[in-house]
Amino acid sequence: VKSDVSKTSQLEAFNEAIDNLLSRLPLTTPTISPPTVVIDDTLSIYTIGDAHVGMLSWKPESGEDNNLDISQQRHIKAMEMLVSQANPSKEAFIIDVGDFFHSDNADNRTAASHNALDVDGRYAKVLDIGLYLTITLIDLALQKHEIVRWRSAIGNHNEHSAIMMNKFIKAYYRTEPRVIVHDTPSTFMYHQFGKNLIGVTHGHKVKAEALGSIMSVDCEEIWSSTKFRYWYTGHVHHQSVKEYPACVVETFRTLAGKDAWHTSSGYRSGQDMRCITLHKDFGEISRNTVNLAQLSTL
């Protein structure tokens, strides 16, 4: 009975959020003119570290405030700055490394351990803001790049809503061939760009040292044709880059503030968002970073 009630609440929240969003958006996808100058040989990768949209924190308790408005403003400002700084690549890839939403349903508890979560507002409102935010980020990238790819990785906080988000974006941009959504329901997703092989996963189900061998098996046909292999992951909220014999595994920081639990547990990682430039023949050639201190000056 509990399971049925939970599923019904979740479906009602999804429907309410989409209805609210559609009431603010045009019936057809607005046309954004493609850029006049692009570079075919590069790919610009915008990484969204665990956004935890909907997470609520209080400065006296956690050292900083966080809510829906703050989350939306930070990500839009960071994306605006990164797009302005980015290489004018023909293609861009916006990678949400997982846990985009802080909670996966109206219960406001983690799915595995059932820990209570601090959430700002009704679940339908969180979905409404989060979905509108993704559209805004994609539209910003479309102004700079001819093709924009999107992937929301499945995380431990958003096991179901990540799948919903990929499907929603694909449906919203159904008449816009410049937007490509990688909507596989697998926790592992891959993309080849020239001699680069990109893997995306949240990182909560497998150890980093195993990712190279997993990639070699999953991508057997294209493994030998690539030279630069990257895994982009999240989950731990801090920056790390480790090179293994088969690939480089990187974790990314988040722009989200710390909730009460993470603060009391001693987590103190920095907060930023990044854009990485890959060359089709030479691998990573540059990256730009926008941190919280920069955003606070705007």
Side-chain angles (χ1 to χ4, degrees):
V1 174
K2 281 187 177 180
S3 177
D4 290 342
V5 170
S6 178
K7 288 179 181 178
T8 301
S9 288
Q10 189 170 347
L11 180 60
E12 290 175 351
F14 283 166
N15 290 335
E16 184 180 344
I18 291 173
D19 287 342
N20 290 339
L21 186 59
L22 291 177
S23 68
R24 315 206 312 259
L25 297 172
L27 294 178
T28 57
T29 307
T31 302
I32 298 175
S33 299
T36 56
V37 178
V38 293
I39 299 175
D40 291 343
D41 294 342
T42 61
L43 170 68
S44 295
I45 301 175
Y46 298 88
T47 58
I48 305 174
D50 303 35
H52 285 278
V53 172
M55 190 268 285
L56 180 67
S57 64
W58 181 43
K59 186 173 182 178
E61 183 180 36
S62 305
E64 63 176 305
D65 292 321
N66 194 86
N67 54 39
L68 282 171
D69 289 339
I70 292 172
S71 181
Q72 183 173 222
Q73 292 169 11
R74 283 181 180 176
H75 284 89
I76 291 175
K77 288 179 180 179
M79 190 67 176
E80 287 174 343
M81 292 180 68
L82 288 173
V83 167
S84 68
Q85 300 166 4
N87 187 288
S89 308
K90 179 179 180 179
E91 288 195 20
F93 198 163
I94 305 176
I95 298 176
D96 153 32
V97 298
D99 285 359
F100 187 88
F101 288 109
H102 189 49
S103 178
D104 207 31
N105 54 54
D107 292 341
N108 294 335
R109 291 183 178 273
T110 55
S113 56
H114 304 289
N115 293 324
L117 299 170
D118 298 325
V119 178
D120 179 22
R122 301 285 295 171
Y123 186 57
K125 179 182 178 182
V126 174
L127 288 178
D128 186 27
I129 296 296
L131 294 175
Y132 187 81
L133 173 59
T134 62
I135 293 170
T136 304
L137 299 182
I138 293 171
D139 284 352
L140 286 170
L142 283 171
Q143 297 174 26
K144 183 73 171 270
H145 309 282
E146 187 174 321
I147 301 294
V148 176
R149 298 178 180 274
W150 174 277
R151 170 62 178 173
S152 285
I154 298 170
N156 55 303
H157 279 252
N158 67 336
E159 183 179 358
H160 300 98
S161 54
I163 297 173
M164 178 275 298
M165 221 165 67
N166 287 325
K167 297 296 184 183
F168 168 79
I169 295 169
K170 187 174 182 178
Y172 180 78
Y173 288 101
R174 65 194 180 281
T175 60
E176 177 53 89
R178 294 173 57 205
V179 176
I180 300 171
V181 180
H182 297 265
D183 65 337
T184 172
S186 172
T187 55
F188 303 111
M189 173 260 146
Y190 304 98
H191 176 64
Q192 182 180 7
F193 176 70
K195 295 181 180 179
N196 302 276
L197 179 55
I198 299 165
V200 179
T201 192
H202 184 56
H204 63 302
K205 288 183 174 291
V206 64
K207 293 184 181 298
E209 54 265 29
L211 289 174
S213 58
I214 292 172
M215 177 183 276
S216 68
V217 174
D218 290 352
C219 304
E220 182 179 1
E221 293 184 3
I222 61 176
W223 178 264
S224 60
S225 65
T226 58
K227 182 178 181 181
F228 308 98
R229 305 181 187 103
Y230 306 98
W231 274 103
Y232 297 133
T233 72
H235 189 51
V236 295
H237 294 198
H238 64 255
Q239 175 189 352
S240 69
V241 182
K242 188 166 183 178
E243 185 173 5
Y244 294 93
C247 63
V248 174
V249 178
E250 183 167 0
T251 64
F252 293 92
R253 290 171 171 171
T254 172
L255 284 176
K258 294 177 289 296
D259 59 11
W261 185 89
H262 282 90
T263 301
S264 63
S265 299
Y267 291 89
R268 298 293 187 274
S269 299
Q271 294 155 276
D272 61 38
M273 183 172 167
R274 302 185 174 199
C275 179
I276 301 169
T277 304
L278 300 183
H279 189 280
K280 69 176 185 178
D281 294 321
F282 311 131
E284 181 179 332
I285 57 174
S286 67
R287 64 173 57 200
N288 296 316
T289 302
V290 173
N291 60 40
L292 203 58
Q294 292 172 278
L295 296 178
S296 64
T297 63
L298 299 177

